[in-house]
Amino acid sequence: MRLSQSFIKTLRSAPKDETARGAQYLSRAGYIYKELAGVYDYLPLGLRVLDNIKTIVREELNNIGAEECLMSTLQNPEPWIKTDRWDIEKMDIWFRTQLAAGGELGLGPTHEEPFTEMLRNYVSSYKDLPFAVYQIQTKFRNELRAKSGIMRGREFLMKDMYSFCATTEDHDKFYHEAEKAYMRIYDRLGIGNDTYETFASGGVFSKYSHEFQTICEVGEDNIYYNKDKSVVLNEEVLIDEVMNDLGVKRDELEMTKAAEVGNIFTLGTKFSAPLGLEFTDQAGERKPVLMGCYGIGISRVMGVIAEKMCDDKGLVWPENIAPYKYYLIGIGDEGMKKAEELYHGREEEILFDDRDLRPGEKFTDAELMGIPYRVVVSDKTLADGKAEVTDRKTGETKLVALTEIF
Amino acid sequence: MRLSQSFIKTLRSAPKDETARGAQYLSRAGYIYKELAGVYDYLPLGLRVLDNIKTIVREELNNIGAEECLMSTLQNPEPWIKTDRWDIEKMDIWFRTQLAAGGELGLGPTHEEPFTEMLRNYVSSYKDLPFAVYQIQTKFRNELRAKSGIMRGREFLMKDMYSFCATTEDHDKFYHEAEKAYMRIYDRLGIGNDTYETFASGGVFSKYSHEFQTICEVGEDNIYYNKDKSVVLNEEVLIDEVMNDLGVKRDELEMTKAAEVGNIFTLGTKFSAPLGLEFTDQAGERKPVLMGCYGIGISRVMGVIAEKMCDDKGLVWPENIAPYKYYLIGIGDEGMKKAEELYHGREEEILFDDRDLRPGEKFTDAELMGIPYRVVVSDKTLADGKAEVTDRKTGETKLVALTEIF
């Protein structure tokens, strides 16, 4: 992208109620625009980050055989009434709306019910199982308070996956595949080293669920970990019974702030039974399907990474999700000419700052935007056939031969 | 995709209130699922078609320099009050919802207001203009009646683009670029030959707007055309003044049913003036920005193509947007083995029917799903190193050497 052709420019200030540092940078650097608390627009750079995250998530889920769908936002109350989740007392984050033709609808805060209901058309025998479906779709949750920028939104992009199995063995097998896929996703997103699978409270059908928590100063959760025993617990399960289960003592656990970046949950027949998603097993008996659900907040992860990976100059994107890999600047006549040449054919990986600005302003913007490598071509560096390449993360600058940069 | 691993199977019947033939096929072939009238889910095959349409639209808009964003669904009333479009009397298709924290919000039926408002942060001088932004995003319109499957939805996927210029010349230039991009899009979607740019009613800032209408039996519009003079009019502008303008007489015009697949509109300062999106011109004077808007209903276009391109056996997708290019069937031991071999490495272009079904059932599904080429490898065809390739559109079958198919 040529910055001279983009409407984006960096701003001096962020919305004044934006307290988290990453969220301030995302606003100032032209990644997001705040519509209202918990509701954001994604500008070209921000959309590219979201898309990069989506691609990684999609690839890893396709790899474990899950199929992608796209479910509607508008929700018919019926299936939610059957599972007892329509009532505001039971689920207090519903946004509701009225059909002009009559009748109340909800805006989907999650999608167990519509997937379960839809799949009644597609499941009849054990031969139709197991399988998993997912979607990357906008969710709506009527939070009383929304804060921390895109980390906790009222409208946000989520990947939600659901598995459907005939037997506990098949369910456990897929659940484990999903756990591994999640860790591969966090690795590729650049937060693998700081992301832990934690024990969290379960439900009727399983003692525990699991969360994926990324160590992060502005995270909303406290997690308790023991590195030697590879045990990590959420605060809600920090009780004797659970610690006994996992073979750790309270004083062996260290606390740290963390942000949830995913969760997986064994649902059993919680949704399939009331909604009648059944199959005929090998003995000819009708049984409800065993389900699991697996979430990753796509826009939330972007928010967590922005908070976690920034310094006093701005954002510091991991290479895999950065909107562009290189921030290119040409200085002087020859430098500008060579920069044009280098940009040509590399439009997808280079953010080319061809604006009529002083180099210092461009350097500041490159840092605020957090592009991994700044490449400066000047008349001076060109004398040796080189460019100055600066690593955003380390700040280290090297002279590199033009033929070896890209 | 391996059909044996997918949850999708073809269904014997469509929802009973689904009257349009294409919509019935889309349901039966496993492309869409009806949540309620005008609200649909996209199943794996359907999502692939949507994605193929999105890719074509995106490429052509990026080519004319437009930048992609993603705006929010939840809408703050303020800017809509300023442009006098919040009132239900003025805009009767609003879905409204209440914030738990207090206050009413709308679900975006279009996005002139939020784009205009957001861009006040990015436009100050004539040097910041011209530019264009677009998004591919879910829109909500509270239609009293929704019909014709995904052709007219209450929740639907739309591409909406907006241009921002300092001068009429720049606006006209971009408008013309957009017209050309639209025709390239329809060409690539496989409906170029039957899609016409029509004169439609304008507004305060231009005498006419333009629609793109595709000839289609179940279309909701009547268009009037004269092939020799290359003039096409919407019914609403079929009046003497307009016919005089365009140099045609009523009896020179033929009528046909058509479906709108896009529209472009000169907005002038209709939104920029009340919302204060201004720039300083070369003389130092403050002026409102000149805007245009440019829509394509992505899911609607998919619906129109499904209606237009189907026969008594099912859907007939154009190659560019088909979910897969080939439907592969192996018959007999050698045939199945060779089919597995051919599938390997071509997972993205082949829908492999490896299910334990009779060939006749597979042939019927291949036709219903409308995959462009059916490839059958049997012990018999293999004797000559060939496969039977059937063109879904013409029904023509040829024996083709295996090395020459893909």
Side-chain angles (χ1 to χ4, degrees), chain B residues 283-297:
Chain B
E285 205 182 324
R286 295 290 286 171
K287 286 183 176 167
V289 172
L290 300 179
M291 290 172 54
C293 68
Y294 312 80
I296 291 181

Side-chain angles (χ1 to χ4, degrees), chain A residues 311 313-316 366-367 370-373 390-395:
Chain A
D311 59 21
K313 291 172 181 165
L315 300 160
V316 186
E367 283 169 335
I371 309 300
Y373 301 101
T390 306
D391 184 321
R392 175 66 184 88
K393 199 168 161 187
T394 62

Side-chain angles (χ1 to χ4, degrees), chain A residues 120-164:
Chain A
R120 293 175 61 208
N121 290 279
Y122 291 100
V123 174
S124 59
S125 148
Y126 69 92
K127 289 179 190 165
D128 299 323
L129 302 168
F131 65 85
V133 294
Y134 73 96
Q135 63 174 343
I136 298 176
Q137 191 248 14
T138 305
K139 299 274 185 277
F140 296 85
R141 294 189 184 168
N142 208 343
E143 308 278 0
L144 213 46
R145 270 177 296 275
K147 55 169 192 171
S148 307
I150 55 175
M151 277 181 61
R152 177 177 289 273
R154 289 178 163 129
E155 172 176 349
F156 56 98
L157 197 62
M158 182 163 163
K159 184 284 298 174
D160 44 329
M161 177 165 73
Y162 306 90
S163 63
F164 301 85

Side-chain angles (χ1 to χ4, degrees), chain A residues 6-7 9 33 41-42 44 67-74 96-98 100 121-122 128 133 142 155, chain B residues 6-7 9 33 41-42 44 67-74 96-98 100 121-122 128 133 142 155:
Chain A
S6 172
F7 74 85
K9 44 187 162 186
Y33 174 77
D41 302 326
Y42 292 84
E67 290 187 273
E68 188 173 359
C69 298
L70 181 64
M71 307 300 279
S72 70
T73 287
L74 294 174
R96 298 288 176 82
T97 191
Q98 302 288 332
N121 290 279
Y122 291 100
D128 299 323
V133 294
N142 208 343
E155 172 176 349
Chain B
S6 172
F7 74 85
K9 45 186 161 186
Y33 175 78
D41 301 328
Y42 291 83
E67 289 188 274
E68 189 173 358
C69 299
L70 180 64
M71 307 300 280
S72 70
T73 287
L74 294 174
R96 298 287 176 82
T97 192
Q98 301 288 333
N121 289 281
Y122 292 101
D128 299 324
V133 294
N142 208 341
E155 173 176 347

Side-chain angles (χ1 to χ4, degrees), chain B residues 260-300:
Chain B
E260 188 192 328
V261 290
N263 59 42
I264 59 178
F265 215 99
T266 295
L267 298 170
T269 61
K270 185 175 171 185
F271 297 94
S272 53
L275 293 171
L277 179 63
E278 296 181 334
F279 68 100
T280 306
D281 73 6
Q282 278 162 291
E285 205 182 324
R286 295 290 286 171
K287 286 183 176 167
V289 172
L290 300 179
M291 290 172 54
C293 68
Y294 312 80
I296 291 181
I298 302 290
S299 45
R300 179 178 173 81

Side-chain angles (χ1 to χ4, degrees), chain A residues 13-28 32-40 146-151 307:
Chain A
S13 61
K16 51 183 175 311
D17 50 349
E18 202 72 278
T19 53
R21 188 165 72 157
Q24 289 175 354
Y25 286 145
L26 287 172
S27 278
R28 287 186 47 213
I32 61 174
Y33 174 77
K34 186 176 195 163
E35 285 285 341
L36 49 133
V39 181
Y40 289 84
K147 55 169 192 171
S148 307
I150 55 175
M151 277 181 61
E307 296 303 337

Side-chain angles (χ1 to χ4, degrees), chain A residues 17 79 94 100 110-111 115 124 143 154 173 214 217 220 250 288 317 329 336 348 350 359 383 400:
Chain A
D17 50 349
W94 275 111
T110 175
H111 279 78
F115 267 115
S124 59
E143 308 278 0
R154 289 178 163 129
K173 193 177 152 204
T214 303
E217 259 176 59
E220 295 164 315
R250 177 65 188 86
W317 293 113
I329 299 171
M336 270 310 295
E348 274 305 302
I350 293 179
V400 183

